[in-house]
């Protein structure tokens, strides 16, 4: 049987309720954590292209600040025992402090401290926000609501590119301070909005909240008084989680049990592959990349804005279709689109620049490459972009969900750090070959999804862990717990 076999649980329930305005508001606030991450990604590339920033700080600060951010993010491997909401609030406060240090930096040490705080703040938020979105959402809308997180990342990148384009024109050499300082704005939105939000019912039960409080929260979220069935299922899931935790001396190591091998593989490989698509190279270094194609500084920043617009629009497509067609079709189509565009881009650059890497490029040719980059960005934005956050946040059982998401976020940021460190060296060494390297990884990850990732569309979050027991490969690791499930081909 092919890897496209998906488990459909005949006993999966459609709980009473509807999509409420409160859930939409809560999801938007939590998803603004993605705005923090996106702005941070987008602003750095533009600022490091500003001469007013480069002269006092480059080259030492850029390489070292990335390492500090990555080190800080390793701390989020600790499970979130204080709830998703509090994690988001803590992250927003730390991020605010980081933005203040960066904007006021007068020497390298302040930038180090600012980057450390930004990294820690983002770490808290990206560990908690996708879980918050997946646990708050009705199962039939979980994909769309979780996709808002990636949509906010793309909006943050776009806003950062627009800010960089504007502040680069400021006379006096202080435009980079405004760019870095405005990172406080999305953090302030998250902080103020999160204060009024409740925690998720799953997290409340996990932390011992009373039945009355949890049901009150459920009624508010689902817009119905008929919440007993969902409440009972959440309690059963929490009881199973507690039993599993009690059977392990170290709860943090429970995720390494054999029965969790499928989830562990996914939480490592999905963020690993997501960064090896090369997307952060495009987004982070877009101004530098476009300069190498012959654009002036302003034109390079504007080209980055164009790719940012494509990124936002294509992520909007994922929001509309992910719960209609599922995760796997988007993964596969996006992978094929990225593969073809990268091969063509690499071939075109090879034809003009050759091995020497020196040539003059006509405007028409350069704009053609920009258009192909937009095709590539669109392919990522409606596939591996949002799904790289959605799938890991929905596949773990409650007892290891926080730990699993922490690993996912850490691998994601660690790979961002690694790619950021090696990109310029690889670009100089391989030139056009860099696009073929990323194309190889896109091909590998598309084949991986084809054979090893089951579909999770429409399955209640506390039931998604069951899909592995009926998968052609993963069932050897996971005992089958329910003989009523059936296998359908997606």
């Amino acid at each position: 049987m092919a890897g496209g076999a998906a488990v459909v649980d005949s006993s999966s329930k459609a709980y009473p309720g509807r999509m409420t305005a409160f859930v939409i508001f809560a999801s938007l606030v939590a998803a603004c954590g993605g705005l923090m991450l996106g702005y941070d990604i987008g602003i750095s590339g533009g600022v490091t292209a500003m001469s007013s920033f480069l002269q006092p700080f480059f080259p030492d600060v850029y390489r070292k600040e990335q390492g500090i951010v990555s080190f800080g993010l390793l701390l989020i491997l600790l499970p979130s025992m204080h709830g998703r909401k509090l994690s988001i609030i803590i992250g927003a406060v730390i991020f605010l402090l980081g933005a203040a240090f960066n904007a006021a930096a007068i020497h390298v040490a302040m930038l180090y401290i600012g980057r450390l705080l930004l990294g820690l703040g983002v770490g808290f938020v990206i560990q908690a926000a996708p879980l918050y979105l997946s646990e708050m959402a009705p199962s039939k809308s979980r994909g769309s609501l979780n996709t808002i997180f990636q949509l906010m990342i793309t909006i943050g990148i776009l806003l950062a590119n627009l800010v960089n384009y504007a502040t680069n024109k400021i006379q006096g050499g202080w435009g980079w301070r405004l760019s870095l300082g405005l990172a406080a704005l999305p953090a302030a939105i998250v902080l103020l909005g999160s204060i009024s939000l409740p925690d998720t019912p799953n997290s409340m039960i996990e932390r011992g909240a009373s039945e009355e409080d949890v049901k009150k929260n459920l009624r508010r979220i689902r817009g119905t008084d008929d919440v007993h069935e969902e409440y009972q299922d959440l309690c059963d899931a929490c009881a199973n989680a507690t039993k599993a935790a009690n059977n392990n001396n170290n709860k943090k190591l429970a995720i390494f049990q054999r029965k969790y091998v499928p989830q562990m593989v996914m939480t490592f490989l999905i963020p690993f592959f997501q960064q090896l698509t090369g997307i952060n190279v495009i987004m982070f270094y877009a101004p530098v990349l476009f300069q190498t194609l012959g654009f002036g500084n302003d034109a390079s920043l504007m080209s980055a804005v164009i790719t940012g617009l494509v990124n936002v629009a294509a992520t909007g497509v994922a929001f509309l279709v992910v719960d209609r067609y599922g995760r796997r079709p988007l993964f596969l189509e996006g992978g094929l689109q990225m593969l073809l565009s990268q091969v063509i881009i690499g071939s075109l650059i090879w034809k003009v620049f050759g091995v020497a890497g020196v040539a003059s490029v006509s405007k028409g040719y350069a704009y053609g490459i920009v258009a192909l980059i937009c095709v590539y960005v669109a392919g990522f934005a409606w596939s591996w972009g949002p799904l790289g956050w959605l799938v890991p946040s929905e596949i773990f059982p409650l007892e290891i969900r926080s730990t699993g998401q922490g690993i996912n976020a850490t691998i994601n940021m660690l790979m961002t750090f690694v790619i950021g460190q090696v990109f310029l060296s690889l670009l100089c060494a391989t030139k056009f070959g860099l696009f073929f390297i990323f194309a190889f990884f896109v091909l590998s990850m598309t084949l991986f999804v084809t054979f090893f990732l089951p579909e999770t569309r429409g399955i209640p979050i506390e039931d998604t862990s069951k899909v592995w027991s009926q998968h052609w490969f993963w069932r050897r690791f996971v005992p089958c717990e329910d003989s009523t499930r059936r296998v359908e081909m997606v």
Side-chain angles (χ1 to χ4, degrees):
M1 183 165 48
V7 177
V8 180
D9 193 337
S10 60
S11 64
S12 290
K13 306 179 181 74
Y15 298 117
R18 55 185 173 82
M19 177 66 73
T20 62
F22 180 74
V23 167
I24 294 173
F25 170 74
S27 298
L28 287 174
V29 171
C32 280
L35 197 64
M36 292 165 51
L37 175 59
Y39 188 88
D40 191 41
I41 291 172
I43 209 67
S44 300
V47 166
T48 53
M50 295 181 184
S51 58
S52 58
F53 178 83
L54 295 178
Q55 290 173 357
F57 295 113
F58 191 82
D60 291 334
V61 62
Y62 181 65
R63 289 191 292 269
K64 292 178 181 177
E65 69 177 0
Q66 289 276 323
I68 290 176
V69 173
S70 180
F71 173 77
L73 283 166
L74 292 177
L75 298 179
I76 65 173
L77 280 170
L78 297 174
S80 176
M81 298 306 296
H82 40 66
R84 324 300 186 214
K85 172 184 174 179
L86 187 56
S87 292
I88 295 173
I89 291 175
I90 292 173
V93 171
I94 296 174
F95 195 90
L96 276 170
L97 294 175
F101 267 92
N102 275 353
I106 56 176
H107 47 69
V108 172
M110 290 186 69
L111 283 173
Y112 288 170
I113 295 172
R115 292 304 302 177
L116 172 60
L117 293 173
L118 289 176
L120 286 173
V122 167
F124 273 99
V125 171
I126 67 176
Q127 191 265 357
L131 294 184
Y132 187 93
L133 290 165
S134 288
E135 290 180 348
M136 286 288 282
S139 58
K140 63 182 180 181
S141 304
R142 186 174 61 245
S144 295
L145 289 183
N146 196 286
T147 299
I148 299 175
F149 183 78
Q150 176 65 19
L151 181 62
M152 288 297 183
I153 293 178
T154 65
I155 292 174
I157 293 172
L158 174 61
L159 290 176
N161 287 329
L162 290 171
V163 168
N164 281 335
Y165 184 74
T167 58
N168 190 48
K169 298 179 180 296
I170 294 177
Q171 300 296 320
W174 57 272
W176 64 270
R177 294 187 183 277
L178 181 59
S179 293
L180 295 178
L182 285 175
L185 184 57
I189 294 173
V190 172
L191 177 60
L192 295 176
S194 297
I195 292 174
S196 63
L197 297 183
D199 216 332
T200 66
N202 315 59
S203 182
M204 291 177 67
I205 294 174
E206 186 181 20
R207 292 181 293 111
S210 68
E211 177 179 349
E212 180 181 354
D213 289 341
V214 177
K215 284 188 173 180
K216 179 181 179 181
N217 192 20
L218 270 174
R219 285 192 287 268
R220 187 181 184 189
I221 292 171
R222 303 296 180 230
T224 179
D225 291 332
D226 187 9
V227 297
H228 179 75
E229 186 176 23
E230 183 174 4
Y231 171 78
Q232 192 58 53
D233 285 347
L234 292 177
C235 287
D236 291 343
C238 187
N240 292 333
T242 301
K243 181 179 178 181
N246 291 337
N247 290 335
N248 292 276
N249 294 328
N250 192 331
K251 184 177 179 182
K252 300 171 188 175
L253 300 180
I255 195 171
F256 295 104
Q257 294 180 66
R258 178 180 174 84
K259 64 181 179 179
Y260 300 135
V261 165
Q263 291 97 326
M264 274 296 296
V265 170
M266 296 300 162
T267 202
F268 272 99
L269 289 186
I270 287 179
F272 178 81
F273 280 136
Q274 186 191 51
Q275 296 310 309
L276 287 176
T277 60
I279 187 63
N280 273 350
V281 168
I282 299 296
M283 289 297 149
F284 199 87
Y285 289 103
V288 177
L289 182 61
F290 291 137
Q291 280 180 344
T292 65
L293 292 174
F295 291 92
N297 190 46
D298 285 347
S300 298
L301 290 173
M302 182 51 66
S303 297
V305 170
I306 293 172
T307 58
L309 286 169
V310 172
N311 198 13
V312 172
T315 306
V317 173
F319 171 80
L320 295 175
V321 303
V322 66
D323 284 318
R324 178 177 300 180
Y325 300 112
R327 286 62 163 147
R328 282 173 48 83
L330 291 180
F331 266 130
L332 298 177
E333 191 284 331
L336 180 61
Q337 184 171 325
M338 287 189 291
L339 175 63
L340 294 176
S341 58
Q342 283 174 325
V343 170
I344 296 173
I345 291 170
S347 299
L348 291 175
I349 295 177
W350 181 15
K351 179 180 178 181
V352 173
F353 287 90
V355 178
V358 178
S360 59
V361 182
S362 67
K363 283 190 176 181
Y365 205 90
Y367 285 131
I369 294 177
V370 171
L372 285 168
I373 289 176
C374 289
V375 172
Y376 158 78
V377 169
F380 175 86
W382 58 50
S383 61
W384 280 86
L387 298 180
W389 297 106
L390 168 60
V391 173
S393 74
E394 67 181 2
I395 61 175
F396 286 100
L398 185 61
E399 62 267 22
I400 59 170
R401 190 171 296 152
S402 293
T403 304
Q405 181 61 20
I407 293 173
N408 173 65
T410 300
I411 296 296
N412 188 296
M413 293 295 103
L414 186 60
M415 286 303 299
T416 300
F417 161 62
V418 171
I419 295 296
Q421 296 304 294
V422 304
F423 167 71
L424 290 178
S425 298
L426 280 175
L427 180 61
C428 293
T430 64
K431 301 175 179 66
F432 61 86
L434 183 61
F435 289 93
F436 295 126
I437 292 173
F438 285 132
F440 168 77
F441 284 112
V442 170
L443 175 61
S444 300
M445 60 204 244
T446 302
L447 292 174
F448 170 76
V449 168
T450 300
F451 292 105
F452 297 109
L453 182 67
E455 182 60 68
T456 52
R457 173 177 62 93
I459 302 174
I461 191 169
E462 301 302 343
D463 289 339
T464 54
S465 60
K466 299 176 183 178
V467 301
W468 312 102
S469 63
Q470 290 294 314
H471 187 273
W472 72 275
F473 180 79
W474 301 119
R475 64 187 179 191
R476 70 191 67 186
F477 298 97
V478 182
C480 184
E481 300 173 352
D482 187 353
S483 61
T484 64
R485 287 189 297 271
R486 55 191 175 88
V487 176
E488 293 184 350
M489 298 302 295
V490 176

